[in-house]
Amino acid sequence: MTLSTRRQAKRAARREARRALPFWRRLLPTWRVTLGTLTALILLAVGAFAVLYVIVPVPDPNAHAVAQNNIYLYADGTTEIARTGAVNRTDVTIDQIPLQTQQAVVSAEDRSFYQNRGIDLKGMLRAGWNTLLGRGMQGGSTITQQYVKNYYLTQDRTIERKGRELLIALKVDQQRDKREILAGYLNSSYFGRGAYGIQSAAHAYYGVDVSQLTLGQGAYLASLLQAPSLYDVRTATPANREKAVARWNYALDGMVQLGFLTPADRAATTFPDPIDPQPATGLAGQAGYLVGVADDYLISSGTLDAATLKAGGWRITTTFDQPRQNAFAKAVQDQLTGELDPQARPDTDTDVRAAGASVEPATGRVVAVYGGPDYAKQPYNDALRQDNQIGSTFKPIDLAAGLVAQHSPDGRPITTESRYDGTSERPVTGGPTPYAPPNEDDIDYGNITLRYAMVKSVNSVYAQEGVDAGLARVRETAVKLGIPDAVRGMDPANTSMTLGTATPSALDLAGAYATLADHGQAHTPWSVLKLERVNPGGAVDVPKMPEHNPTQALDREIADSVTDVLRDVISPHGTGAAALDLGRPAAGKTGTTDSNLSAWFAGYTPELATTVGLFREHPKTHAKEPLSGTAGLTRINGGTFPTRIWTAYMTAALNGTPTQDFDLQAGHGAPEATPWPTAPVSTTPSATTTPTGGAPTNTDPAPGTPPGHAPGAPATTAQPAPGPTAPSPQATKPTTDPEQPSPAPKPTPPQPTRPTTLPSATGAPTSRPAAPPTP
């Protein structure tokens, strides 16, 4: 039998054997077919890869490598605020970068860098598997791949871009030395604080040349590469600071693992805190603060990430109105800075800082902010900081929560005319912690309404009313109005929350008051109208901007009832009397915190809601210092400089616009609204008469005031009239400042005299025993 015959016989036998198999088995390919198919596919893939490797070139540097400026514009779309975003980068050679800094970067970013060929298949497979398991998007990129992405490609997350990245990384690794690749990566990477490249990062975080970086400093810069903005420990949240320090430890531990560092040297290395952020050039005056608010909005809203924004090329039209912005800065200069004399009073007139924000209630647009006098000299944006207690500007939130609750736990109705015991240091009942706050100047007010207690900012009343409303409800109301739920001082476990231990920013507080001004409709304040970028190829990027649909935070009647009460604060007898100079219907509230650490005025007209805060801060330790003695005054209350600044700014901001009245539908007063006392100031108190049956009325109205009417408040009858109430008349400003301490001694009868206001915002409760409230 010939060889050919034997082969034919074997094939015939195999065919007969296959025909004898079950049908399902005959559908499966033989091992020869399977092996042949796999071999063909592998050869095809290798061939395709070889072709792609040849035809895909190493491109020229991308637009990111030669990034443009960001241009910020006022709301008119033409007037320029500032130009930023030009790449802050100075290239250095690998020999200028300390070896330990190089090793820390390798340890943190790609521990196989010196062994891999530009890509790490094992790392990519591991990252892909973790992504499929839902453990978050995993990169798996080597340092070479990241350099290729930063320098040659884009940040787009597409399969096509990733494929090109792999091919170019292989070529770059073949064509260039590892030291050259590492230098390119460190010169092109973003480290936060507007710093591109290791040299700029060394200056931005430690104020030194890259060659002077210590082991710990180099390891910290290496840790920033994973999340530049989030891991800046000077501005990070406590949680992100912990992550940043953990990443720093990871880098150092990796250096020990790779043999770059001895365990003894590792143990001796301590975390090197960076310096405070320094101002960028071109952001002097108010420009830097406006840019900061716009950037914060774009990043926090998810419109852009920090790296994309800092890469530059964006044309950003903001909501800021230039005349109003200039008016805000001028108001602070005229009403505050011009009154300070640091040379004559170096212990009190230095380090005084103001914060402010102005928001359109109907839209939520931020039209102006005041973050400081000059960004080039003070690169901290005080309009955005959340570390100053707001004091009695929180009391309207207590009142709103009470109107939502309608009744106290013992069944008493809560209206704007409900009566409370205004005795100073009266222990609060029913609270989670003991609390007996004093009224300003320790004045006893006796049995007064919630309206009058707001006008005089009576601490003992609103401490109890907030507890009656329910501290959890007070917190919920604050968050609905626009106070961020993460700010400190809003813990319902502390009774003192009722008097303003919360620390929202000036912009947060302006947003909350804008909600009251817009009848309970809440807009999250926003500061960017339009965003676009023209790419080198001519294509235009226009990211989708967030929508600004309002939410109903409060029923209209409740919000309008609070506004109705706050109008009375701006009256000859209210703590906000200085705002009468505005000459328009307005509502607002003063606030002063314990130890005179801050003073506030928050107020609004139908067109504009504005807040102004005042505080002192040590320039190096950032510790809060009392305002007492500022400008030679014994005490700085919310009714002084903050109200004066607010009034000067609002006068200019609303100049030329028609005067608008509040269109109120208030319906949460008592059957007979009680006017608050208007008797002249006297050192001889008189008794208060409380009639029987119905709501009590004041027996000593101001001259010319009709019975049953409160100055600055609409008349009320047995049933609230439907429809909007009449606007508050604006009376002449009194000759004495109602926020300054009254010379009158503490009265023995409970008739309220004309005291001043000092909200207590301390978080430390007193230990006085509880006593039942006075009916």
Side-chain angles (χ1 to χ4, degrees), residues 521-547:
Q521 294 280 327
H523 290 86
T524 300
W526 53 284
S527 55
V528 175
L529 288 167
K530 187 179 179 181
L531 181 68
E532 62 182 4
R533 177 174 64 180
V534 179
N535 295 311
V540 180
D541 292 334
V542 184
K544 179 178 174 57
M545 300 297 295
E547 296 182 357

Side-chain angles (χ1 to χ4, degrees), residues 7 15 54 59 163 189 202 239 269 291 377 388 391 452 484 496 551 554 604-605 708:
R7 287 176 177 173
R15 285 196 295 270
V54 171
S189 294
T269 306
V291 168
K377 298 177 180 178
N388 290 301
Y452 181 66
S496 59
T551 59
L554 292 175
Y604 51 92
T605 65

Side-chain angles (χ1 to χ4, degrees), residues 417 451-452 454-455 563-576 586-588 676 710-714 728:
E417 312 308 323
R451 178 185 296 272
Y452 181 66
M454 186 73 74
V455 170
T563 295
D564 181 46
V565 171
L566 294 184
R567 290 189 304 171
D568 288 350
V569 175
I570 302 177
S571 69
H573 305 274
T575 58
W676 40 273
S728 171

Side-chain angles (χ1 to χ4, degrees), residues 674-685:
T674 305
W676 40 273
T678 56
V681 177
S682 172
T683 57
T684 306

Side-chain angles (χ1 to χ4, degrees), residues 195 197-211 213 221 275:
I198 190 73
Q199 172 74 306
S200 297
H203 283 280
Y205 287 90
Y206 293 107
V208 299
D209 187 86
V210 63
S211 61
L213 288 173
L221 295 185
I275 62 177

Side-chain angles (χ1 to χ4, degrees), residues 240-398:
N240 284 334
R241 179 183 173 88
E242 289 181 6
K243 292 178 182 178
V245 174
R247 184 71 175 174
W248 177 79
N249 284 316
Y250 172 81
L252 290 175
D253 292 339
M255 292 180 69
V256 174
Q257 178 183 334
L258 295 173
F260 298 147
L261 188 65
T262 65
D265 289 340
R266 164 68 182 94
T269 306
T270 58
F271 185 78
D273 277 309
I275 62 177
D276 288 332
Q278 302 301 303
T281 58
L283 297 177
Q286 294 296 303
Y289 305 121
L290 302 184
V291 168
V293 173
D295 285 356
D296 182 75
Y297 170 72
L298 289 173
I299 295 171
S300 64
S301 66
T303 306
L304 294 177
D305 60 54
T308 303
L309 177 62
K310 292 296 184 182
W314 295 102
R315 185 179 178 87
I316 303 166
T317 303
T318 70
T319 61
F320 305 121
D321 182 81
Q322 187 182 29
R324 288 173 170 173
Q325 182 62 41
N326 292 341
F328 218 144
K330 186 176 187 300
V332 176
Q333 173 64 38
D334 293 348
Q335 302 299 323
L336 173 65
T337 310
E339 300 292 324
L340 302 178
D341 191 345
Q343 292 185 344
R345 295 181 291 269
D347 294 333
T348 60
D349 283 17
T350 53
D351 310 325
V352 180
R353 301 168 73 144
S358 190
V359 175
E360 284 184 353
T363 64
R365 294 172 69 243
V366 183
V367 300
V369 297
Y370 186 84
D374 185 347
Y375 190 77
K377 298 177 180 178
Q378 179 196 297
Y380 292 93
N381 195 334
D382 290 335
L384 297 179
R385 64 189 305 158
Q386 295 178 330
D387 60 351
N388 290 301
Q389 295 182 348
I390 60 171
S392 286
T393 58
F394 195 82
K395 286 175 182 172
I397 299 174
D398 295 326

Side-chain angles (χ1 to χ4, degrees), residues 166-186:
L166 294 175
L167 293 169
I168 296 172
L170 288 170
K171 281 193 171 184
V172 168
D173 186 78
Q174 291 295 316
Q175 297 171 2
R176 298 186 183 179
D177 181 79
K178 288 288 187 182
R179 284 163 48 87
E180 184 181 358
I181 294 173
L182 184 58
Y185 173 64
L186 289 175

